[in-house]
Amino acid sequence: MKTWKEVNPGAVVTEPGSARKFKTGSWRANKPKWIEENCIHCLLCWVYCPDMSIKVKDGKREAFDYDFCKGCGLCALECPGKKGQKAIVMEQEDK
Amino acid sequence: MAKKVASTGNEAVANAMRIANPDVCGAYPITPATEIMQRFTSFVSNGKAKTEMVLAESEHSAMSACIGAAAAGGRVATATASQGLALMWEMLFIASGLRLPIVMGVANRALAAPLNIHGDHSDGMGARDCGWIHLYSENAQEAFDNMLMAFRIAEHMDIRLPVMVGLDGFITSHSIETMEYLDDETAAKFVGEYKAMKPLLDIKNPVSYGPLILTDMYMEYRKAHDEVMKKVPGVVLEIAAEYEKLTGRKYGLFETYRLEDAEIAVVVMSSAAGTTKDVVDAYRDKGVKVGLLKPRLFRPCPYEQLGAALKHCKAVAVMDRADCFGGSYGPLFQDIASALYTQPTKPVMINKIYGLGGRDYMPDQAEKTIDELIQIAKDGKVKSVKEYIGVRE
Ligand code: SF4
Ligand code: SF4
């Protein structure tokens, strides 16, 4: 950890992409769970996630990135799922 | 040789801004600082300053535009007063926390309610602890000189902090006085070229401004800010010495007037210091050993130097053109009391609240204050530490 003598004046961040090191996953109280069989890969969760915590590869939804997911629940709210069965549900973090 | 001209304080500030030729000025004019922006925008329209004017929808937005432009890497200046400065309050802390060297003229004015447009220090005192450097000016000449020096102080590579330059609303902002302008070429050379520090527009070295700093680092940044504040008085004096060589006008952290051998003293800021100096002269002629101290660098407050300058006095009156409500003394009194606290000898102190909302400060108010100091120096008896003067009882 830097001392007051070492910090950048004005807290200017000089290392591009360093937000990656700031893992916000520990803030989570509720955790989204992906139920793959209900997923239609519409990617609405990817669109709505404010933290880029939905991984996508070749147009298909992949696992959550729990390092950064803050558990806001937006993805679960927006998810249409399959035939009324949600593909994302929120669970208590300690479960 | 600089020639003497007639100028208002606002005109003096606008001319200093024209000479500094900022890259950007975010503005939302307000009485009594309106004329600063009106004159400055005329300079811009006539090609005398190459500044991008951003006319915002409020002072909060004006300061936000200044912050963005300064972070982008430009020299930035603006002006405001009173409610405008109050509306900027949130952004003032952001400007200083991001260490952006914005320069702002403030035509000091009372705060509402009741609504009042006249000279008073409530606005500046309200922004006292926002991390900016504060300079206060007695007259148009000092407003011009302080503005020019403010660019150098703010932009000094060891400092990089915003500076506000106060001048009394109407009394100084609108009165026409004789003053000397420095010729444009010499003044521009003194202010110098702007050097950006970690600008957003340097796309080869990408940076981000305004990150979230939590419990693990916030105190380190606050301590770093406090430490950089400690370097300010030295830089202020260094730049003042350079300015004196150009103009012959001497500036310190504060001005002392007949103070060295004084037994009693009055501490008073900005325009009221002029009136008080006349009264000091009249009492000196009668053989009374009275002196005056006029703060110039108000933030950071040079506590040690102030204490050393006043410690030999028997009695000191601190004049406040603003009050701190809540049973407290005036803001300047609190600082002078703190400055004297660490000194081995201390004068007896009294606090006068005067001139609020532009109420005239007359020589008889200074006379009554000095008479009271003479009595306190004799018998040590204080009838009331804090008192409103020039008010109907
Ligand atoms: S919103 Fe729901 S259905 Fe759509 S991709 Fe995300 S998880 Fe799958
Ligand atoms: S809970 Fe919120 S943060 Fe986490 S993946 Fe869903 S939308 Fe993103």
Side-chain angles (χ1 to χ4, degrees):
Chain A
M1 285 277 202
K2 283 183 178 168
T3 69
W4 66 266
K5 290 183 192 121
E6 296 155 348
V7 296
N8 258 350
V12 178
V13 180
T14 50
E15 189 190 336
S18 56
R20 214 174 283 133
K21 292 185 194 161
F22 186 33
K23 300 201 171 157
T24 50
S26 64
W27 300 7
R28 208 165 43 230
N30 293 310
K31 192 175 185 177
K33 190 178 138 198
W34 184 36
I35 306 161
E36 203 174 343
E37 59 267 31
N38 292 339
C39 179
I40 56 166
H41 298 278
C42 64
L43 303 189
L44 275 178
C45 52
W46 173 80
V47 170
Y48 279 98
C49 175
D51 277 287
M52 296 168 75
S53 296
I54 314 276
K55 297 263 183 70
V56 172
K57 202 179 167 195
D58 302 328
K60 294 270 182 200
R61 189 212 197 281
E62 292 206 320
F64 284 104
D65 184 346
Y66 288 117
D67 277 352
F68 301 99
C69 164
K70 295 198 285 254
C72 67
L74 274 180
C75 53
L77 189 77
E78 296 297 339
C79 172
K82 199 187 277 175
K83 296 179 184 161
Q85 299 288 306
K86 287 266 185 194
I88 304 175
V89 289
M90 299 302 288
E91 291 182 337
Q92 242 183 21
E93 178 62 27
D94 50 14
K95 263 200 181 166
Chain B
M1 182 64 198
K3 72 171 190 280
K4 285 207 189 296
V5 292
S7 173
T8 65
N10 279 343
E11 193 179 342
V13 171
N15 269 301
M17 282 172 65
R18 173 184 58 76
I19 289 160
N21 194 18
D23 296 296
V24 177
C25 168
Y28 190 86
I30 181 168
T31 305
T34 309
E35 191 200 2
I36 299 176
M37 259 23 270
Q38 175 225 317
R39 287 192 182 263
F40 183 68
T41 46
S42 303
F43 289 141
V44 174
S45 305
N46 294 328
K48 294 197 170 131
K50 307 234 173 325
T51 304
E52 178 82 33
M53 293 299 308
V54 182
L55 303 176
E57 74 277 22
S58 75
E59 285 87 354
H60 188 282
S61 306
M63 183 44 65
S64 301
C66 289
I67 289 168
R75 173 176 282 167
V76 178
T78 186
T80 194
S82 183
Q83 308 303 127
L85 186 63
L87 187 53
M88 281 180 185
W89 199 79
E90 179 192 13
M91 302 318 290
L92 295 178
F93 281 77
I94 295 181
S96 66
L98 296 180
R99 305 277 303 273
L100 301 172
I102 298 162
V103 172
M104 177 160 71
V106 179
N108 294 116
R109 163 187 149 183
L111 286 175
L115 182 62
N116 178 295
I117 56 167
H118 288 282
D120 180 311
H121 298 157
S122 303
D123 52 1
M125 296 299 136
R128 179 183 70 177
D129 302 325
C130 65
W132 284 51
I133 296 166
H134 289 229
L135 296 173
Y136 284 83
S137 328
E138 182 181 325
N139 48 38
Q141 182 73 66
E142 290 193 8
F144 175 75
D145 295 343
N146 280 338
M147 272 304 275
L148 282 186
M149 284 186 267
F151 284 98
R152 289 287 304 277
I153 298 163
E155 295 169 7
H156 194 286
M157 281 304 183
D158 292 345
I159 306 291
R160 306 302 282 198
L161 280 173
V163 180
M164 62 177 83
V165 174
L167 59 154
D168 281 349
F170 287 105
I171 302 164
T172 307
S173 69
H174 284 61
S175 301
I176 296 175
E177 302 172 35
T178 30
M179 61 166 285
E180 277 178 24
Y181 281 112
L182 197 55
D183 71 88
D184 282 2
E185 205 184 315
T186 316
K189 216 173 130 204
F190 170 78
V191 174
E193 286 290 312
Y194 183 71
K195 283 191 205 76
M197 211 165 140
K198 304 217 164 61
L200 280 170
L201 289 181
D202 179 2
I203 50 171
K204 284 202 189 107
N205 298 292
V207 293
S208 300
Y209 274 77
L212 177 71
I213 303 290
L214 293 176
T215 41
D216 56 346
M217 286 303 291
Y218 186 82
M219 264 187 95
E220 280 66 26
Y221 283 103
R222 276 342 208 186
K223 165 84 175 156
H225 195 140
D226 187 48
E227 286 295 323
V228 78
M229 276 292 201
K230 288 182 189 161
K231 293 188 200 161
V232 173
V235 169
V236 167
L237 289 176
E238 188 186 298
I239 289 161
E242 201 183 311
Y243 196 70
E244 189 188 350
K245 276 192 204 126
L246 289 181
T247 62
R249 290 189 291 277
K250 190 175 171 64
Y251 286 92
L253 305 176
F254 46 81
E255 181 191 335
T256 56
Y257 186 76
R258 308 187 83 163
L259 185 64
E260 248 167 55
D261 65 334
E263 284 169 6
I264 55 173
V266 180
V267 177
V268 59
M269 235 159 81
S270 297
S271 66
T275 311
T276 313
K277 282 177 201 168
D278 271 355
V279 176
V280 164
D281 286 343
Y283 274 77
R284 280 279 178 176
D285 290 347
K286 289 194 278 182
V288 178
K289 286 192 166 173
V290 56
L292 175 144
L293 186 146
K294 180 188 80 185
R296 173 180 177 244
L297 177 67
F298 175 67
R299 280 292 175 277
C301 184
Y303 289 107
E304 269 175 41
Q305 296 88 332
L306 282 168
L310 290 165
K311 67 173 193 294
H312 65 281
C313 295
K314 286 186 186 147
V316 168
V318 181
M319 316 294 283
D320 268 292
R321 201 166 206 147
D323 197 1
C324 293
F325 298 116
S328 165
Y329 299 115
L332 191 54
F333 181 90
Q334 293 176 30
D335 279 333
I336 301 299
S338 303
L340 285 162
Y341 177 73
T342 51
Q343 296 296 331
T345 58
K346 300 183 228 330
V348 178
M349 288 178 64
I350 52 171
N351 186 199
K352 302 292 181 200
I353 310 291
Y354 76 98
L356 301 187
R359 175 67 51 91
D360 278 336
Y361 172 70
M362 303 301 277
D364 72 294
Q365 293 176 13
E367 286 160 11
K368 277 191 198 130
T369 304
I370 293 171
D371 288 341
E372 195 178 327
L373 289 175
I374 295 170
Q375 168 257 308
I376 293 170
K378 251 189 227 138
D379 60 20
K381 284 194 187 117
V382 174
K383 61 176 191 311
S384 168
V385 178
K386 177 180 165 183
E387 187 195 15
Y388 273 60
I389 58 170
V391 70
R392 281 185 303 281
E393 296 288 350

